[in-house]
């Protein structure tokens, strides 16, 4: 173990999430509602980007994972807006002495095409994280028709975040 008092100027975190897609549910991605005949089957609003972002933030601070902080078994989180989870996690990041520096998001979804939604997602994430737009990246990929993402049975997201020491 490193000596006590040893403090990193930067910390990196990564998060991943996947949800099943089912008819008749709304599809929330990166805080934006996307027009789609299918949406996420989830305990909360099923926003894979915000869930992966929360795991990345918690991971960078070694503070556990989203399930530790918001157990799916707890009914108070049912149908909850995932930005409310993020609002509870950001103070933990600040309390650990760090602030988000930049974030890079990849979304894995076959349909619909997310091109028109990427800028609104970046703007929403930038606002939620209090970051300039150029520090928030959103990329989208399909899965070449391979299951489960390519067969439109699932959506996934991967997020990398860099934190910087702010104290
Ligand atoms: Mg999730």
């Amino acid at each position: 173990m490193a000596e006590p008092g040893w403090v990193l100027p930067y910390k990196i975190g990564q998060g991943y999430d996947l949800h099943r897609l089912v008819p008749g549910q709304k599809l929330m991605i990166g805080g934006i509602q996307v027009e789609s005949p299918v949406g996420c089957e989830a305990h909360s609003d099923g926003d894979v980007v915000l869930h992966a972002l929360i795991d990345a933030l918690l991971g960078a601070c070694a503070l556990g994972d989203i399930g530790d902080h918001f157990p799916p078994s707890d009914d108070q989180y049912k149908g909850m807006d995932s930005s409310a989870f993020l609002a509870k996690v950001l103070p933990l990041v600040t309390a650990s002495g760090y602030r988000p520096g930049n974030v890079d998001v990849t979304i894995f979804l076959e349909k619909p095409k997310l091109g028109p939604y990427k800028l609104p997602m970046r703007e929403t994430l930038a606002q939620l994280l209090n970051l300039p737009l150029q520090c928030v990246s959103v990329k989208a990929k399909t899965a070449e028709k391979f299951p489960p993402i390519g067969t439109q049975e699932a959506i996934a997201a991967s997020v990398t975040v860099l934190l910087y020491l702010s104290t």
Side-chain angles (χ1 to χ4, degrees):
M1 289 232 293
E3 61 193 83
W6 183 71
V7 178
L8 276 174
Y10 298 98
K11 285 187 169 184
I12 194 165
Q14 65 89 26
Y16 175 82
D17 195 27
L18 178 146
H19 280 271
R20 184 187 296 273
L21 292 171
V22 293
Q25 297 284 325
K26 66 177 179 176
L27 183 59
M28 294 298 298
I29 312 176
I32 299 288
Q33 185 167 355
V34 171
E35 278 300 320
S36 168
V38 291
C40 283
E41 185 179 73
H43 192 71
S44 66
D45 67 1
D47 191 320
V48 287
V49 166
L50 292 184
H51 294 182
L53 171 62
I54 288 165
D55 262 353
L57 291 166
L58 290 171
C61 300
L63 288 172
D65 61 39
I66 189 169
D68 295 333
H69 291 262
F70 312 103
S73 55
D74 192 332
D75 269 353
Q76 68 170 305
Y77 304 124
K78 203 166 164 52
M80 192 153 157
D81 183 339
S82 295
S83 60
F85 294 146
L86 183 61
K88 286 175 186 281
V89 165
L90 284 171
L92 304 178
V93 173
T94 309
S96 75
Y98 290 85
R99 296 218 177 127
N102 76 297
V103 57
D104 188 15
V105 175
T106 307
I107 302 159
F108 303 89
L109 180 68
E110 199 69 16
K111 278 184 183 174
K113 293 279 178 254
L114 294 178
Y117 295 101
K118 288 195 284 187
L119 181 58
M121 285 176 196
R122 289 176 64 207
E123 288 169 341
T124 300
L125 294 171
Q127 190 171 20
L128 290 171
L129 294 166
N130 195 23
L131 284 176
L133 194 60
Q134 68 267 28
C135 291
V136 179
S137 156
V138 171
K139 313 187 299 296
K141 300 185 77 67
T142 64
E144 301 286 344
K145 299 189 167 59
F146 282 102
I149 288 161
T151 48
Q152 301 174 57
E153 294 167 278
I155 177 174
S158 173
V159 174
T160 302
V161 65
L162 186 76
L163 305 183
Y164 65 95
L165 191 64
S166 63
T167 50

